[in-house]
Amino acid sequence: MTTKPPSKIKEFPENTLEKVAYNSVKNIPTVEPNDSYRLAYNIFQFLTKKDTTLKEAIRVSGARLLVPVEEAYKLIVEYLESQGHIIK
């Protein structure tokens, strides 16, 4: 019995909001990878809808961070601002 190889993953281009959101949390240590994905998804929602604050998006994600929330917030803001997104 043979199996087919897994499908190839097509990465988002570097300038898309999806990639910006996921790259913004790349250097934030979490308990497991899924925590990082949930955090990135909530940041993506923040970037597209703007109906909440970034701090609220981090809190709602429920991500188990291995650094203080304030440090994670600071790292995310620095990255987003370096990519041209203004965070208030």
Side-chain angles (χ1 to χ4, degrees):
M1 175 187 235
T2 62
T3 60
K4 294 181 181 179
S7 300
K8 294 185 179 185
I9 296 174
K10 184 176 180 183
E11 295 279 336
F12 283 106
E14 290 295 322
N15 59 345
T16 62
L17 280 180
E18 292 89 346
K19 193 69 165 183
V20 169
Y22 280 83
N23 283 340
S24 71
V25 301
K26 190 183 290 186
N27 294 323
I28 298 174
T30 58
V31 173
E32 61 184 45
N34 195 40
D35 291 317
S36 182
Y37 302 146
R38 282 197 316 270
L39 179 58
Y41 174 77
N42 280 276
I43 291 172
F44 173 70
Q45 292 295 315
F46 162 76
L47 291 172
T48 56
K49 295 181 181 177
K50 301 278 188 187
D51 61 349
T52 186
T53 65
L54 180 57
K55 285 186 180 183
E56 182 68 11
I58 294 169
R59 187 190 69 74
V60 169
S61 74
R64 295 168 294 171
L65 306 175
L66 297 176
V67 296
V69 174
E70 288 300 320
E71 184 178 338
Y73 173 78
K74 179 183 168 193
L75 291 170
I76 294 168
V77 167
E78 287 175 2
Y79 182 81
L80 292 177
E81 287 179 347
S82 74
Q83 297 299 307
H85 299 279
I86 299 171
I87 308 301
K88 294 180 182 178

